[in-house]
Amino acid sequence: MKQRTSEAKTLRNTQCGQTVTVMRLTGSGAIKRRIMDMGLTKGTQVYVRKVAPLGDPVEVTVRGYELSIRKADAEMIEVS
C-alpha cells in the first residue's frame, strides 16, 4: 500500500478561490463514509469558498451546494 507523502495536496491546504478535483479519501470506516455521503467522492469538483480565520472550518461548494468541513476532515481529502 502506498504511503501518503507530506507534500500531498489536501483540501485543508487549498487556497480560497481555487477549484480542485478530489483524487482520493484517506480516512477509513465511518469517517470515510460520512465524507462520501456529503458528496465528496473521487472525481468530484470542489470550489473552496472561504476559510475561517483559524482555518477551521473550510467552506466549499460541491455538487451545487455549500458545505462546511472540519479541518481534520479536510486533511483526509487529497485533491489535485
Side-chain angles (χ1 to χ4, degrees):
M1 185 174 184
K2 280 176 57 176
Q3 287 191 4
R4 197 173 105 190
T5 60
S6 62
E7 62 257 357
K9 185 175 179 183
T10 64
L11 194 57
R12 179 180 177 201
N13 54 23
T14 302
Q15 297 289 325
C16 243
Q18 285 186 322
T19 300
V20 293
T21 303
V22 176
M23 297 309 289
R24 73 182 211 132
L25 303 174
T26 59
S28 63
I31 295 170
K32 184 174 182 178
R33 170 56 52 196
R34 185 168 45 88
I35 292 170
M36 290 173 69
D37 287 344
M38 290 187 281
L40 292 162
T41 56
K42 185 176 179 180
T44 304
Q45 295 264 314
V46 179
Y47 173 71
V48 180
R49 292 177 46 95
K50 298 181 207 171
V51 178
L54 297 177
D56 196 18
V58 176
E59 187 175 313
V60 298
T61 300
V62 59
R63 299 181 189 256
Y65 68 95
E66 283 76 38
L67 176 67
S68 292
I69 304 172
R70 292 184 204 132
K71 190 168 35 175
D73 293 345
E75 185 69 31
M76 296 180 203
I77 304 167
E78 288 186 16
V79 297
S80 68

